[in-house]
Amino acid sequence: MTDDLSAVGRFLFEAGTLKHTRRTGWWMAGVKDPESVAEHSWRTSLIASLIAKLEGADPAKAALLAVWHDTQETRTGDVNYVGKKYAPAGDPQAVTADQTTGMPEALASAIQDVVAEYEAKESPEAVCARDADKLECLLQGIEYKAQGYENAQRWIDNSRARLVTKTGQRLAAELLGQDSLDWLRTALGEPKP
């Protein structure tokens, strides 16, 4: 039945597991309680919309791509770069096809198209979303480093080196020049130390 939403309901419960799925690479940096995949994806989508707007791409589409970019990790977990050397993560498009089985065809097809576009790395919005993924990692690294996790510098450096958009590179430079609490000082009208 095309209007049966039981598969959609199951997927929504499945998606909720990303709130508890930790980004495992941060454990190698010594972070004891790293961010979840859901937390990462949320800020990545915000960053994608900003980069896209400044790059002349569609901010809503870039944010949509970013929001869906790690949804497959409900089934594969977050496999970090070392882990991928030994056990490659599942193909995102194949996982998404499984996740959307039983959904109304128009919805399943739309979700699969979003993931395929992100994975193809060709559209301006996909490029912006992928840069947002890297920039969010850089930003999280800065925050972890401010909390005393000095090993986060490796993630900061690697993320910065992989940025391709001018806006992503400019934002990285800006973030690296700020303290993680500059926003609070500005909001309270306090001078920068």
Side-chain angles (χ1 to χ4, degrees):
M1 179 175 222
T2 60
D3 62 349
D4 179 7
L5 297 182
S6 59
V8 176
R10 287 190 301 274
F11 175 78
L12 293 175
F13 280 114
E14 180 179 340
T17 66
L18 292 177
K19 295 194 291 184
H20 309 288
T21 304
R22 297 291 163 207
R23 304 237 316 143
T24 62
W26 292 118
W27 286 326
M28 289 182 276
V31 177
K32 293 185 183 4
D33 186 26
E35 68 176 334
S36 71
V37 172
E39 291 166 321
H40 163 73
S41 294
W42 173 75
R43 188 159 61 176
T44 298
S45 68
L46 291 179
I47 295 168
S49 68
L50 299 172
I51 292 174
K53 183 65 177 176
L54 294 173
E55 289 286 319
D58 181 347
K61 186 175 182 184
L64 179 67
L65 296 174
V67 127
W68 286 91
H69 87 282
D70 279 340
T71 54
Q72 307 78 25
E73 292 182 10
T74 60
R75 301 207 177 176
T76 65
D78 178 55
V79 181
N80 61 55
Y81 285 106
V82 172
K84 287 178 184 177
K85 179 178 177 183
Y86 303 101
D91 172 55
Q93 291 174 266
V95 174
T96 301
D98 283 347
Q99 288 174 313
T100 57
T101 298
M103 288 185 184
E105 181 52 38
L107 186 56
S109 177
I111 293 168
Q112 291 169 21
D113 288 349
V114 165
V115 172
E117 182 174 349
Y118 180 84
E119 293 301 322
K121 309 173 191 173
E122 294 173 356
S123 71
E125 292 78 14
V127 171
C128 292
R130 294 181 83 79
D131 252 23
D133 183 34
K134 293 163 188 68
L135 195 60
E136 200 287 325
C137 187
L138 177 143
L139 184 53
Q140 188 64 60
I142 292 169
E143 291 170 339
Y144 284 146
K145 193 170 175 191
Q147 294 171 22
Y149 296 106
E150 291 299 319
N151 289 335
Q153 187 64 50
R154 177 183 180 89
W155 281 257
I156 294 167
D157 295 341
N158 287 341
S159 296
R160 186 176 192 187
R162 295 170 60 208
L163 294 167
V164 297
T165 65
K166 289 187 189 308
T167 301
Q169 293 165 357
R170 289 179 55 215
L171 276 171
E174 184 59 45
L175 291 168
L176 289 165
Q178 290 188 19
D179 179 275
S180 64
L181 289 180
D182 280 354
W183 72 269
L184 181 59
R185 289 183 198 92
T186 300
L188 296 175
E190 297 174 354
K192 188 172 179 175

